[in-house]
Amino acid sequence: MAFFKLNRGLGIDLGTANTLVYSKKHKRIVLNEPSVVAVERETKKILAVGNEAKEMLGKTPDSIVAVRPLSEGVIADYDITEAMIKYFIKKVFGSYSFFMPEIMICVPVDITGVEKRAVLEATISAGAKRAYLIEEARAAALGAGMDISAPEGNMIIDIGGGSTDIAVISLGGTVVSKTIRIAGNNFDASIIKYIKKTHNLLIGDKTAEEIKIKIGTALPLEEEEIMEVKGRDLMMGLPKTVSISSEEIREAIMDSLMEIIRCIKSVLEQTPPELASDIVDKGMVMTGGGSLIRNFPEMVEKYTSLKVTLAENPLESVVRGSGLALEQVKVLRKIEKAER
């Protein structure tokens, strides 16, 4: 029984766009669903969570609202976040689970004490036996296979949905770090704004994300790519289809990409010389969904003159790292853990 109890640990990457759950027992990701909850407006009753709720985004009647309870990597709606965590725990363990799991939750680097408490309380209320916090950048570094306990500089750039975390880690601790609230969702918002302005076409978040994935690029492509985009014509008010090029999308997201590069440079400027020399030798590692924008690692290389490597599974690095932290008690003790 003791062995069974020990194994019931979960690592949760509570992202603005998606929530991923890593099971310590199965040593793999057991759940990956959108961080969306459909709620009845009047009664605040939860109608759907995850994939089912995402299908409802932008398509619900007035009585139902599909919401993202996390904004820029932190809890925007406490009750709905708690219900979402509860739903995910139940989905992994089943409704009649006797043992409560230990949960490691990933949070942005610069999260405040109040926000940390909110995450912990929501997790405990959702049914966790114990809750720990780990910084996303540190979890991403662990998940990307870096040896963060070594006395050398490791630089990680984690571009999620709501925030980008950049950190230099040595001896298990964060030496320099910075978080900016610019990431994947900003790319989507910039695409929506650009298409509205240049084509008088209104599109939704889902369509913007699709455009970003299919033809988004950080550097000009040898051969431009074109995509047909459907939306509502703002002049006529009728549905319309327009052709959008990869060059237009690059122009739309350029400001956000440059903001991330400025933040990377700012972290490099604050890095102690000894650790900076390690980074010159080893380069930087990029993780997170936002790092999958085509040619973005090459663009970072161009502006920093340093080697940039894309993690093996950029979307999974953070949650895998949180699972590894649960498995390594030594690492766990180094984390500024909060326990109840």
Side-chain angles (χ1 to χ4, degrees), residues 14-128:
L14 211 54
T16 308
N18 290 294
T19 295
L20 283 85
V21 179
Y22 178 96
S23 163
K24 183 180 168 185
K25 183 183 178 185
H26 301 100
K27 290 194 170 17
R28 63 181 171 87
I29 293 162
V30 289
L31 189 136
N32 179 358
E33 290 200 22
S35 306
V36 183
V37 181
V39 185
E40 205 167 68
R41 209 184 282 271
E42 289 286 303
T43 60
K44 293 277 183 259
K45 186 183 166 202
I46 309 278
L47 301 175
V49 181
N51 288 322
E52 206 183 320
K54 191 179 182 182
E55 288 300 314
M56 299 180 182
L57 271 180
K59 297 179 182 178
T60 55
D62 285 349
S63 59
I64 299 167
V65 56
V67 293
R68 292 187 181 274
L70 291 121
S71 171
E72 299 175 340
V74 293
I75 290 181
D77 190 312
Y78 177 86
D79 293 330
I80 295 178
T81 303
E82 187 190 313
M84 189 172 77
I85 297 171
K86 196 173 276 180
Y87 167 85
F88 290 140
I89 292 174
K90 197 183 278 185
K91 196 160 182 183
V92 173
F93 289 129
S95 302
Y96 305 103
S97 174
F98 184 67
F99 297 108
M100 288 295 102
E102 286 191 324
I103 294 182
M104 176 74 74
I105 296 262
C106 306
V107 292
V109 172
D110 69 345
I111 190 171
T112 64
V114 174
E115 288 165 342
K116 277 182 181 175
R117 263 197 309 279
V119 176
L120 287 167
E121 279 167 16
T123 311
I124 296 292
S125 304

Side-chain angles (χ1 to χ4, degrees), residues 162-220:
S163 64
T164 294
D165 289 294
I166 300 159
V168 175
I169 299 164
S170 176
L171 287 166
T174 307
V175 182
V176 188
S177 67
K178 199 168 181 181
T179 295
I180 50 168
R181 308 291 192 213
I182 289 174
N185 290 354
N186 293 78
F187 303 153
D188 298 346
S190 299
I191 291 168
I192 292 170
K193 197 173 162 188
Y194 180 88
I195 292 175
K196 186 178 176 182
K197 192 178 164 188
T198 55
H199 295 276
N200 273 322
L201 189 78
L202 194 63
I203 61 167
D205 294 343
K206 216 169 159 187
T207 307
E209 189 180 13
E210 210 177 298
I211 296 167
K212 173 184 74 180
I213 292 166
K214 283 191 178 169
I215 61 169
T217 177
L219 295 172

Side-chain angles (χ1 to χ4, degrees), residues 136-137 139-146 155-159 283-292 296-297 307-321:
E136 276 173 13
L142 269 174
M146 290 180 164
M155 185 157 174
I156 189 94
I157 301 155
D158 175 38
I159 307 163
M284 307 178 257
V285 174
M286 283 177 81
T287 72
S291 63
L292 290 168
F296 194 17
K307 190 176 90 175
V308 178
T309 311
L310 189 63
E312 200 178 327
N313 291 306
L315 291 162
E316 299 175 357
S317 299
V318 173
V319 75
R320 284 187 183 281

